[in-house]
Amino acid sequence: MNELDTMRHSCAHVMAAAVQEMFPDAQFGFGPPIEDGFYYDFELPRQLSPDDFKEIEQRMRRLAKSADHFEYKEIDGKSAIELFTSMNQTYKVEAINNLVSSGEPISLYKSGPFLDLCRGPHVGTTKQIGHFKILSVAGAYWLGDENNPQLQRLYATSFPTKDELTTHLARLEEARRRDHRILAKQLDLFSTNTDVGAGLILWHPKGGVLREIIENYWREEHRKHNYDIVFTPHIGRKKLWDISGHTQWYQDGLFPEMELENQSFINKPMNCPFHVQIFDSQTRSYRDLPLRYGELGTVYRFERSGVLHGALRVRGFTQDDAHIFCRHDQFAKEVGGALDIAYKMLGTFGFTDLKLIVSVRDENRDKKYVGSDEMWTLAEQGLIDALTEKNIEYQRVEGEAAFYGPKIDVMVEDAIGRQWQLSTIQVDFNLPERFDIDYEDSDGSRRRPVMVHRALLGSIERFTAILIEHFAGAFPVWLAPVQAVLIPIADRHIEYCNEVALKLASHGIRIHVDDRGERMNRKIRDAQKQKVPYMLIAGDRDVEANNVSVRLRNGEDIGAITPSVFAQTVQQVSIDRSESYGFGH
Ligand SMILES: [Zn+2]
Ligand SMILES: [Zn+2]
């Protein structure tokens, strides 16, 4: 445990002590440090709510002030079980039983009146637990197993200085404000529900527009780079993934088999075997290569309901997948080409701070790798050459390569400094071998192609969630599901607004007339809440001059202009996929 984790974990003990004061019958689970904080699991006589946090914190402060030492004690398993049984701590007894069977000594830590089963280490006294804050409470199954009782998990954090805590809380608040699950609901983009099944996304009309734009852009870029677009089914015979090895490695991640006419089918967890079949549907010559098959392919993978998270982690998602079949002398160039598309597209979406990680074999070759040493050296060097040639900086990580080939991962930084892994480009010597595919070389011999797997946005679902959080729902004009709302000042301006809307829609502008019987200010406020880039307001003077008064989402007034000037400007910023509103803003 590092210093910060030790401090946070000690703080968890003090939090547990405070909870014990409030609820003498409390039962305790575990309380480890986690990224950015810590938690503790409790079974309590009643549900905790955020109203309780203040009291717990006050008690924690008092316990901290008393500066009790964290005292270490080691006892034998039998005594430990007796001790915690007498304290009526059933979860701790279960935990000790597990430790006893593994033969570990039982170590305890006591601070003030609070005694805990714990391996440590801890800070010296309860005074050294930093500046803390309780953040949330959530249900958590004992040992993460849904067949076990559900406990209450209290999340909290602590930092050495007050400034660090304040900065962290502000960041959390900002992340909450951008939470894609809340914004997706507020902006009516997509939803999930338990009747459909957890982790399966329903795209609503506005989310559908956003998705269509992203996908069309993706297709456009890939066509430009000579990819062929293919379509493959959502299910297929299980034997395909037996050959590819997925049923072996990803068994836990697969949806169960379906038996039909004595054949076994599964929902596809990956698109690769289908693309291999397309390659193999003809005899291929060295002149045909490279072949680049792109597909926005929806795959299904089982994830425990506990780890599902909005559209970031789901059970059905659409990879922006492609497989390149090429000769050994071609793949470095192909990797470079895929990187070009990644840089172009990610940059267009507003991600300009990119980090590259190249994963290669471990130095001692301890792990098992498919393919000859020579091939690997060539592949690793090929990736690095591709990056060097493009003058791209990268971090080289040994031992992180898949057993079938090295890879490049691209990380982006979002608007509030969080890192997301988006693109993956992977060289593969294994699948061509497993599926026994080949091409005819110039000398007439049969040779294995190399496969490059690559997804640049990752998945459309996850990428959309990241975009929502990156832009806090305020998409640039080209991505905005509704680009403009027309607001009549009075009912007598509705007809004019409808005429203008028709004209703008014919120019491809996504527009909506707000003809509700609400006041204008309310309509403006609602359009701002919907994060619509432009509000076009029409009153007597506008109707007379055949104008609209343009106001931007950020509150700035552009003034009165003709609908056709408006249309031209919006079309231009959309074609440019610009982050600007046009009109010099
Ligand atoms: Zn501890
Ligand atoms: Zn693949």
Side-chain angles (χ1 to χ4, degrees):
M1 227 186 265
N2 65 34
E3 229 172 279
L4 189 61
D5 282 349
T6 301
M7 181 190 81
R8 285 174 174 163
H9 173 62
S10 303
C11 197
H13 275 242
V14 174
M15 183 169 79
V19 169
Q20 192 179 38
E21 276 186 4
M22 281 169 74
F23 305 98
D25 295 332
Q27 300 241 8
F28 297 90
F30 291 115
I34 51 173
E35 203 191 341
D36 290 337
F38 60 89
Y39 67 77
Y40 212 117
D41 288 344
F42 309 101
E43 188 177 288
L44 302 173
R46 70 166 169 84
Q47 179 64 44
L48 286 177
S49 80
D51 298 335
D52 296 309
F53 297 173
K54 211 171 199 168
E55 180 176 350
I56 301 171
E57 284 167 357
Q58 270 163 9
R59 288 174 187 271
M60 286 172 73
R61 267 189 284 278
R62 195 172 30 69
L63 288 164
K65 219 177 256 168
S66 62
D68 295 314
H69 283 271
F70 281 92
E71 292 163 30
Y72 176 72
K73 222 192 284 183
E74 211 174 275
I75 59 173
D76 65 274
K78 195 165 159 277
S79 317
I81 289 169
E82 276 171 19
L83 178 64
F84 281 92
T85 305
S86 76
M87 288 158 63
N88 206 18
Q89 291 295 330
T90 46
Y91 300 110
K92 295 288 180 190
V93 172
E94 192 181 329
I96 296 165
N97 271 319
N98 292 339
L99 287 176
V100 170
S101 58
S102 75
E104 282 188 53
I106 306 301
S107 74
L108 308 175
Y109 274 90
K110 190 171 186 293
S111 52
F114 184 70
L115 176 73
D116 204 352
L117 167 73
C118 178
R119 211 177 281 133
H122 286 281
V123 292
T125 76
T126 56
K127 208 170 184 163
Q128 296 154 259
I129 56 172
H131 296 260
F132 53 82
K133 175 97 184 150
I134 298 176
L135 301 171
S136 61
V137 59
Y141 293 105
W142 168 240
L143 303 179
D145 183 343
E146 47 254 66
N147 300 311
N148 285 338
Q150 201 179 42
L151 307 177
Q152 297 190 56
R153 177 168 295 175
L154 211 44
Y155 286 100
T157 192
S158 111
F159 283 88
T161 67
K162 191 153 189 154
D163 272 358
E164 284 165 284
L165 177 65
T166 311
T167 308
H168 179 70
L169 294 179
R171 256 243 303 269
L172 283 184
E173 186 50 44
E174 185 55 36
R176 237 193 312 270
R177 199 175 71 76
R178 292 165 179 266
D179 189 325
H180 74 278
R181 295 166 299 179
I182 295 165
L183 285 168
K185 194 170 178 196
Q186 190 184 317
L187 305 178
D188 197 18
L189 299 173
F190 57 76
S191 65
T192 54
N193 74 55
T194 49
D195 287 340
V196 172
L200 299 167
I201 304 282
L202 299 171
W203 292 79
H204 297 201
K206 285 179 190 164
V209 171
L210 181 58
R211 177 171 175 160
E212 201 183 358
I213 296 166
I214 296 170
E215 292 191 352
N216 285 344
Y217 176 44
W218 185 90
R219 286 192 193 95
E220 181 188 315
E221 276 307 320
H222 284 76
R223 288 283 187 205
K224 265 192 216 161
H225 285 83
N226 291 317
Y227 279 66
D228 294 313
I229 306 288
V230 299
F231 296 87
T232 66
H234 287 235
I235 65 169
R237 286 185 68 184
K238 178 172 163 281
K239 64 183 265 191
L240 281 179
W241 291 277
D242 287 337
I243 298 171
S244 73
H246 290 110
T247 48
Q248 209 179 321
W249 313 318
Y250 295 112
Q251 202 180 11
D252 295 344
L254 301 179
F255 276 76
E257 297 173 44
M258 297 166 265
E259 292 290 338
L260 293 161
E261 297 178 334
N262 293 322
Q263 292 179 345
S264 183
F265 292 80
I266 57 169
N267 287 100
K268 69 170 159 182
M270 287 200 167
N271 304 302
C272 339
F274 284 142
H275 294 186
V276 170
Q277 300 300 315
I278 297 174
F279 175 88
D280 208 25
S281 63
Q282 282 181 37
T283 311
R284 306 293 179 182
S285 136
Y286 70 100
R287 284 196 212 90
D288 300 332
L289 305 184
L291 282 167
R292 309 179 187 93
Y293 298 144
E295 177 176 14
L296 293 160
T298 305
V299 297
Y300 299 89
R301 296 183 194 167
F302 176 74
E303 299 261 20
R304 287 178 161 280
S305 49
V307 301
L308 298 173
H309 183 87
L312 278 177
R313 202 138 168 209
V314 290
R315 286 176 176 166
F317 56 93
T318 308
Q319 291 182 313
D320 67 311
D321 210 359
H323 294 95
I324 303 167
F325 298 84
C326 59
R327 303 191 304 257
H328 285 253
D329 62 318
Q330 291 175 322
F331 74 82
K333 189 156 171 264
E334 290 305 312
V335 167
L339 268 177
D340 285 341
I341 309 177
Y343 269 68
K344 169 83 188 296
M345 290 185 62
L346 296 177
T348 304
F349 285 109
F351 300 111
T352 45
D353 200 343
L354 271 48
K355 237 186 240 146
L356 267 83
I357 295 166
V358 182
S359 300
V360 297
R361 285 171 296 179
D362 63 305
E363 199 178 3
N364 305 320
R365 315 279 190 265
D366 289 336
K367 295 187 189 162
K368 258 189 82 77
Y369 297 100
V370 172
S372 68
D373 197 52
E374 193 191 350
M375 218 145 78
W376 268 87
T377 309
L378 206 74
E380 290 173 354
Q381 199 50 50
L383 289 189
I384 284 164
D385 287 349
L387 295 175
T388 315
E389 196 197 321
K390 294 190 180 301
N391 227 338
I392 295 174
E393 274 183 48
Y394 61 89
Q395 190 193 341
R396 187 171 181 273
V397 185
E398 289 188 350
E400 284 300 305
F403 73 89
Y404 52 84
K407 63 169 180 173
I408 297 177
D409 289 322
V410 181
M411 315 277 296
V412 303
E413 189 174 306
D414 75 5
I416 57 170
R418 292 174 302 181
Q419 298 278 330
W420 303 92
Q421 195 238 303
L422 291 180
S423 316
T424 302
I425 303 170
Q426 212 150 11
V427 180
D428 182 359
F429 306 124
N430 181 44
L431 276 199
E433 200 76 39
R434 280 179 170 255
F435 281 96
D436 192 23
I437 53 171
D438 56 21
Y439 64 90
E440 192 182 270
D441 211 349
S442 51
D443 60 2
S445 63
R446 310 299 308 176
R447 298 202 57 177
R448 290 253 186 264
V450 182
M451 264 178 93
V452 178
H453 310 247
R454 30 115 305 166
L456 304 184
L457 307 178
S459 88
I460 300 295
E461 288 76 7
R462 181 169 171 274
F463 186 69
T464 302
I466 292 167
L467 275 189
I468 293 171
E469 301 208 354
H470 177 61
F471 291 116
F475 299 108
V477 175
W478 70 282
L479 284 170
V482 177
Q483 293 173 313
V485 175
L486 259 163
I487 301 175
I489 289 181
D491 281 354
R492 63 178 179 280
H493 309 121
I494 290 179
E495 202 191 315
Y496 174 72
C497 284
N498 285 334
E499 273 168 37
V500 172
L502 218 56
K503 199 185 293 170
L504 293 177
S506 75
H507 285 91
I509 289 163
R510 300 184 289 276
I511 188 149
H512 161 75
V513 179
D514 190 347
D515 55 6
R516 295 175 303 163
E518 300 283 351
R519 294 178 151 275
M520 184 185 74
N521 283 343
R522 169 73 190 274
K523 292 181 183 178
I524 289 176
R525 231 180 14 251
D526 286 348
Q528 268 167 337
K529 243 193 229 157
Q530 285 298 306
K531 316 208 181 223
V532 177
Y534 309 99
M535 283 150 266
L536 311 183
I537 297 154
D540 288 336
R541 236 182 301 164
D542 299 298
V543 175
E544 206 170 299
N546 191 22
N547 278 337
V548 285
S549 295
V550 182
R551 213 178 139 137
L552 302 181
R553 171 170 61 195
N554 63 16
E556 282 192 64
D557 269 317
I558 302 298
I561 52 173
T562 64
S564 56
V565 168
F566 176 76
Q568 277 167 20
T569 308
V570 175
Q571 273 179 321
Q572 197 56 54
V573 291
S574 299
I575 290 167
D576 295 345
R577 299 193 175 94
S578 155
E579 279 195 50
S580 126
Y581 291 97
F583 308 106
H585 288 271

